[in-house]
Amino acid sequence: MMKTVDINSDIGESFGSWIIGDDVDNELMTIISSANIATGFHAGDPNIMRKTVESARKNGVAIGAHPGFNDLQGFGRRHLSIPVDELVNDIIYQLGALREFARLYSLPLQHIKPHGALYMHLARDETAAQCFVAALHQLDAGLYLYCMAGSAVWQAAQRLAHPVVTEFYADREYDDQGFIVFTRSTGRLSVQAITDKVLMACLEGKVKTVTGNTIPIRFDSICIHSDTPGALEIISSVKMALINAGINVCSPGMV
């Protein structure tokens, strides 16, 4: 049984006058412990980034950069073939953008978490993962990297002794190898089913896969996407269930 766990969510993913999800970022900020803030390539813009950082400071939420492929039209959930050096430069550029907004509010960056198709690319491509982690470690050797345990980027971080925060995806399915099943969109999910899934993972260290098998799972943080329909109700239910089970919700830096 876990004693503490982080709840993270992708935040600030609207763009200009276009709203992503249920437009509940302000409400989610009062519940989650870590926010992955979109950095402009797959979603977000300078105005939304600053507003989101300000909200995080107001609510005591730890913040991290959420860089993605340069793909606003596809919301960063389409894979783009980009040379490794250019891909790493895109990530550094996005990381720097959020760091400056954080400096305006005297907030440290807690972590970095790639988004969508970029997250999955770095989870599988050993060369890209190694180059990315090497650059990240040179820039900030203490910046947490949110990732899946056992993935290529996780392995690259282990080799450099770079700190990681492993994730459990409450609103995504798992395959028998323990990897999430990538999807570009999610319909409305059962709040109770997700809550039960999270409790099983936290209390028993297990998750059911798409094939009906049960596999072991280890993690430090629970991710629930803010653009999942009903995200506010889902995250509220999950947090209340964790508290009732005696599990404290806090960011990794507060453990």
Side-chain angles (χ1 to χ4, degrees), residues 13-149:
E13 291 188 314
S14 295
F15 180 79
S17 60
W18 285 270
I19 302 299
I20 295 296
D22 299 332
D23 194 19
V24 291
D25 279 8
N26 288 335
E27 292 84 352
L28 290 179
M29 277 292 195
T30 67
I31 305 171
I32 62 175
S33 47
S34 295
N36 318 310
I37 302 177
T39 46
F41 274 30
H42 78 277
D45 62 37
N47 296 318
I48 291 174
M49 287 170 67
R50 179 167 183 170
K51 177 183 177 181
T52 307
V53 170
E54 184 177 19
S55 178
R57 182 186 180 187
K58 176 183 177 181
N59 290 284
V61 174
I63 63 172
H66 195 43
F69 280 127
N70 196 353
D71 180 29
L72 278 175
Q73 184 176 356
F75 194 60
R77 287 183 175 154
R78 302 182 297 187
H79 182 269
L80 303 182
S81 294
I82 300 173
V84 171
D85 58 339
E86 294 183 17
L87 179 62
V88 172
N89 288 341
D90 281 354
I91 296 173
I92 293 172
Y93 181 92
Q94 294 175 79
L95 175 64
L98 185 66
R99 192 184 296 278
E100 289 306 295
F101 281 112
R103 277 162 46 90
L104 281 175
Y105 295 92
S106 300
L107 283 180
L109 282 189
Q110 172 187 256
H111 66 277
I112 183 170
K113 175 185 170 180
H115 166 81
L118 177 59
Y119 184 100
M120 298 304 296
H121 178 66
L122 293 171
R124 295 192 172 104
D125 189 299
E126 294 182 3
T127 299
Q130 184 63 43
C131 291
F132 161 56
V133 174
L136 176 62
H137 195 69
Q138 181 178 351
L139 286 170
D140 190 341
L143 192 68
Y144 287 121
L145 170 60
Y146 278 48
C147 59
M148 285 187 290

Side-chain angles (χ1 to χ4, degrees), residues 6 10 26-27 55 73 98 108 138 140 143 150 190 192 194 198 215 227 235 238 244 254:
D6 176 46
D10 306 339
N26 288 335
E27 292 84 352
S55 178
Q73 184 176 356
L98 185 66
Q138 181 178 351
D140 190 341
L143 192 68
S190 166
Q192 189 59 54
I194 293 180
V198 170
I215 60 172
D227 66 312
I235 297 178
V238 166
N244 289 339
M254 297 296 293

Side-chain angles (χ1 to χ4, degrees), residues 124 173-181 207 209-211 215:
R124 295 192 172 104
E173 298 286 353
Y174 279 81
D175 63 24
D176 289 339
Q177 286 69 50
F179 286 92
I180 58 173
V181 178
V207 66
T209 71
V210 289
T211 62
I215 60 172

Side-chain angles (χ1 to χ4, degrees), residues 205-225:
K206 299 176 182 178
V207 66
K208 290 184 178 180
T209 71
V210 289
T211 62
N213 292 322
T214 299
I215 60 172
I217 191 82
R218 296 181 63 183
F219 57 94
D220 309 300
S221 182
I222 300 162
C223 174
I224 302 174
H225 296 81

